[in-house]
């Protein structure tokens, strides 16, 4: 415990930098995964064949551990932030993709018909009815992906991406349990806090549900 | 000019052995309150959905206020037709106010006009605007939801209203109130209403004309008095008898 206090006294700035790096990498990865998975999911929902191909492909990626993907990527793009983000995006796409497809496939048919009967054109129907009704389930996928990414970003430090994993790997190298404790604890707190905030937001966006 | 004209309209859904609408001919005059009566599966919903082009006929023509609907853009057409269905029709993620303003939003009315009209519609269906505007459908009773459904359909003052069993899932007392209010709104507006029900008492009470359907065909179209006094055939006669409604009941008026 004392060690931890000493650590923060001496390395406060560095710690803050690693924390911000961790958040930054996670954030960019989830954002990029959304940019890929949301449109892909919406397209897949209307095309059963494409849907099974995409789900099988990303499902396969999912069983390969992210560390393995990281190591496989080293010869191709080297080390650093870039391969880390790529591996994290691959990790984050499946839950968002699957939930997006599911959300758009389970839209209540009577809502779709009601919106047509009101005289909405396809664009209005998409933005006023389909997307808002699908959003909670999509967001649940984004939440799952985010928590997974925050945990996995720790491993990305192994190939030089930075982040809180640096503290853990340093601790392992120097056999210092206080560093393991600080690094691991920080990741845990960050991931719990993010999960909590996202749950709060989920409750906000589903306030209309009974 | 007739509000709605069906000329030899035929519709058979894929995979079905018999037609949902079997050479239907009808002319509905403007201002009528038509109640469509018939057992489940006889084509009532199909008839209604053809008018706002949710379904297209296989053959025949449909005219709305003298114009071929197949020549119109379905999207534009639907914005001018009020449409009310059983409870499920409200958008759950929109507040009451947003639900009622659905079509005005699409039509890009200005904000003040929308607000004023939403309030007016809520008052019309006997709900206090300030109390209900910001609620979500899940926070309303079935009867209140149905009032909102009516308000949403009425806001653009459509010349024709299509109502598909709107009071089907509502308890008897609330239903009675809603029927009375709908009748009042119709009488004040002089618009054309087409109302599907499988409750003969409701059909007799609300309709200025009753249309009785069976197996995709219209068996009889006439005033409640005509239908009760001169049932077109055995089916209609049986329908009246089994429901226990008699002509004397109709004359008493309030009994129904
Ligand atoms: N979208 C559809 N696809 C296939 N068959 C349908 C569809 N809509 C209605 N039908 C069939 O057409 C017939 C008439 O249905 P409908 O008009 O809904 O009857 P009602 O409203 O009188 O209960 C029924 O046999 C029904 O199964
Ligand atoms: Mg029906």
């Amino acid at each position: 415990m004392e060690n931890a206090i000493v650590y923060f006294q001496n390395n406060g700035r560095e710690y803050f930098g690693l924390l911000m790096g961790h958040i930054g990498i996670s954030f960019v990865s989830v954002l990029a995964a959304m940019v890929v998975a949301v449109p892909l999911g919406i397209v897949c929902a209307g095309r059963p064949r494409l849907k099974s191909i995409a789900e099988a492909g990303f499902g396969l990626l999912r069983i390969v551990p992210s560390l393995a993907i990281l190591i496989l990527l080293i010869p191709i793009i080297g080390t650093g932030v870039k391969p880390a983000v790529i591996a994290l995006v691959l990790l984050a796409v499946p839950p968002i993709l699957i939930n997006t497809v599911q959300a758009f496939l389970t839209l209540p048919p009577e809502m779709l018909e009601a919106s047509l009967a009101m005289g909405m054109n396809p664009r209005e129907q998409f933005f006023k009815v389909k997307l808002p009704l699908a959003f909670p389930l999509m967001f649940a996928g984004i939440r799952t992906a985010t928590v997974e990414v925050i945990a996995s970003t720790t491993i990305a430090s192994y190939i030089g991406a930075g982040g809180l994993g640096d503290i853990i790997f340093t601790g392992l190298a120097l056999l210092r349990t206080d560093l393991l404790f600080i690094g691991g604890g920080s990741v845990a707190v960050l991931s719990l806090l993010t999960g909590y905030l996202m749950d709060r937001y989920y409750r906000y966006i589903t306030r209309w549900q009974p | 000019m007739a509000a709605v004209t069906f000329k030899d309209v035929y519709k058979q859904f894929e995979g079905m052995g018999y037609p949902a609408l079997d050479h239907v001919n009808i002319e509905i005059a403007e201002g009528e309150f038509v109640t469509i009566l018939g057992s489940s599966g006889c084509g009532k919903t199909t008839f209604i959905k053809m008018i706002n082009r949710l379904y297209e006929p296989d053959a025949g023509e449909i005219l709305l206020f003298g114009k071929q609907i197949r020549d119109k853009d379905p999207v534009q057409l639907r914005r001018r037709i009020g449409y009310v269905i059983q409870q499920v029709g409200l958008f759950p993620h929109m507040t009451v106010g947003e639900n009622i303003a659905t079509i005005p939003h699409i039509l890009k009315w200005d904000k003040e006009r929308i607000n004023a009209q939403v309030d007016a519609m809520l008052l019309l269906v006997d709900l206090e605007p300030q109390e209900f505007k910001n609620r979500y459908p899940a926070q309303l009773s079935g009867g209140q939801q149905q009032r909102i459904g009516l308000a949403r359909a009425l806001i653009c003052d459509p010349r024709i209203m299509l109502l598909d069993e709107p009071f089907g899932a509502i308890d008897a007392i609330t239903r009675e109130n809603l029927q009375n209010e709908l009748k009042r709104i119709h009488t004040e507006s002089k618009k054309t209403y087409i109302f599907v029900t499988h409750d003969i008492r409701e059909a007799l009470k609300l309709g200025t004309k009753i249309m009785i359907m069976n197996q995709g065909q219209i068996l009889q179209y006439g005033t409640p008095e005509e239908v009760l006094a001169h049932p077109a055939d055995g089916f209609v006669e049986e329908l009246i008898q089994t429901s226990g409604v008699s002509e004397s009941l109709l004359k008493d008026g309030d009994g129904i």
Side-chain angles (χ1 to χ4, degrees):
Chain A
M1 203 60 223
E2 280 158 48
N3 284 345
I5 295 164
V6 173
Y7 171 85
F8 282 115
Q9 278 168 348
N10 295 337
N11 306 288
R13 280 180 72 113
E14 194 197 335
Y15 176 84
F16 187 73
L18 293 173
L19 177 65
M20 284 300 133
H22 199 104
I23 293 173
I25 291 172
S26 303
F27 184 77
V28 167
S29 303
V30 172
L31 209 64
M34 280 166 61
V35 169
V36 174
V38 169
L40 185 62
I42 292 169
V43 172
C44 284
R47 278 159 246 240
R49 257 187 75 96
L50 186 62
K51 171 184 175 254
S52 33
I53 295 171
E55 282 186 354
F58 280 101
L60 201 71
L61 272 174
R62 214 177 182 187
I63 45 177
V64 184
S66 33
L67 184 62
I69 296 179
L70 282 176
I71 292 167
L72 286 173
L73 283 173
I74 293 177
I76 307 168
I77 5 180
T79 56
V81 173
K82 220 163 96 184
V85 168
I86 291 172
L88 292 169
V89 169
L90 291 176
L91 178 81
V93 163
I96 304 177
L97 179 71
I98 288 165
N99 278 35
T100 303
V101 171
Q102 209 49 32
F104 278 87
L105 282 181
T106 54
L107 291 171
E110 64 273 8
M111 283 299 114
L112 303 182
E113 190 171 87
S115 54
L116 284 186
M118 299 288 107
M120 290 189 191
N121 63 31
R123 201 174 155 269
E124 288 155 352
Q125 189 192 39
F126 181 82
F127 285 105
K128 285 178 191 284
V129 178
K130 288 182 176 179
L131 191 61
L133 287 178
F135 190 61
L137 192 52
M138 288 163 66
F139 184 77
I142 294 169
R143 184 204 182 280
T144 307
T146 306
V147 173
E148 274 182 37
V149 163
I150 290 174
S152 302
T153 300
T154 317
I155 304 167
S157 146
Y158 183 75
I159 57 163
L164 294 168
D166 279 9
I167 304 172
I168 296 176
F169 284 109
T170 309
L172 284 173
L174 304 177
L175 297 172
R176 278 184 51 188
T177 39
D178 58 329
L179 291 185
L180 293 180
F181 179 76
I182 291 166
S186 301
V187 174
V189 170
L190 182 61
S191 133
L192 285 173
L193 189 66
T194 309
Y196 170 76
L197 290 175
M198 291 181 90
D199 285 342
R200 289 283 300 256
Y201 184 64
Y202 181 82
R203 241 172 291 154
Y204 171 73
I205 58 170
T206 54
R207 66 196 178 286
W208 49 270
Q209 287 176 357
Chain B
M1 183 193 12
V4 178
T5 311
F6 274 53
K7 286 187 187 165
D8 211 28
V9 172
Y10 186 88
K11 174 76 180 180
Q12 181 162 355
F13 289 101
E14 241 171 272
M16 262 183 60
Y18 54 96
L21 285 186
D22 193 2
H23 301 286
V24 165
N25 285 285
I26 187 98
E27 206 165 272
I28 294 172
E30 197 163 358
E32 298 280 15
F33 195 130
V34 178
T35 49
I36 305 181
L37 189 60
S39 46
S40 142
C42 72
K44 305 183 295 294
T45 298
T46 307
F47 181 87
I48 287 257
K49 286 184 178 173
M50 288 214 159
I51 298 171
N52 62 4
R53 294 190 64 182
L54 287 174
Y55 292 161
E56 299 289 343
D58 297 341
E61 304 179 347
I62 300 169
L63 285 80
L64 194 62
F65 302 108
K67 300 211 180 77
Q68 292 278 355
I69 60 168
R70 64 163 172 248
D71 298 337
K72 304 201 174 233
D73 173 17
V75 168
Q76 297 300 329
L77 176 80
R78 291 170 191 146
R79 291 176 187 174
R80 294 192 172 79
I81 299 177
Y83 185 64
V84 187
I85 44 177
Q86 276 194 21
Q87 274 148 318
V88 286
L90 294 181
F91 300 119
H93 60 291
M94 295 183 190
T95 62
V96 164
E98 288 164 347
N99 263 289
I100 298 176
T102 304
I103 300 178
H105 268 151
I106 296 172
L107 297 175
K108 304 206 164 53
W109 289 10
D110 65 65
K111 237 182 145 167
E112 274 150 44
R113 182 170 172 215
I114 291 181
N115 272 328
Q117 269 311 99
V118 166
D119 287 4
M121 285 303 119
L122 280 164
L123 291 172
L124 181 71
V125 297
D126 213 17
L127 292 174
E128 184 51 48
Q130 291 324 311
E131 194 185 334
F132 286 96
K133 237 164 135 165
N134 297 318
R135 291 208 205 166
Y136 288 97
Q139 300 163 324
L140 303 175
S141 72
Q144 289 165 342
Q145 290 184 10
Q146 214 43 262
R147 285 168 197 266
I148 305 304
L150 266 179
R152 179 174 71 175
L154 286 165
I155 193 166
C156 290
D157 200 21
R159 276 174 91 184
I160 180 163
M161 288 277 287
L162 309 175
L163 306 103
D164 195 349
E165 304 198 31
F167 309 149
I170 290 177
D171 67 87
I173 296 171
T174 312
R175 191 173 176 145
E176 182 94 24
N177 288 333
L178 282 165
Q179 288 168 350
N180 294 338
E181 268 168 58
L182 189 64
K183 196 153 176 107
R184 167 180 61 83
I185 294 169
H186 171 258
T187 312
E188 285 166 7
S189 79
K190 306 263 186 293
K191 301 291 194 301
T192 308
Y193 281 43
I194 300 179
F195 182 106
V196 171
T197 177
H198 53 235
D199 175 352
I200 187 163
R201 288 165 173 274
E202 188 169 68
L204 291 168
K205 172 178 175 175
L206 291 176
T208 58
K209 288 276 169 62
I210 298 184
M211 179 170 138
I212 294 171
M213 290 185 71
N214 190 34
Q215 296 182 341
Q217 295 181 325
I218 298 176
L219 298 185
Q220 189 165 13
Y221 182 67
T223 64
E225 292 79 10
E226 280 163 14
V227 172
L228 287 177
H230 310 286
D233 66 3
F235 179 87
V236 180
E237 201 163 358
E238 207 180 304
L239 190 77
I240 294 164
Q241 266 164 14
T242 52
S243 70
V245 197
S246 71
E247 202 180 350
S248 64
L249 248 173
L250 181 77
K251 294 273 161 60
D252 291 344
D254 300 321
I256 307 175

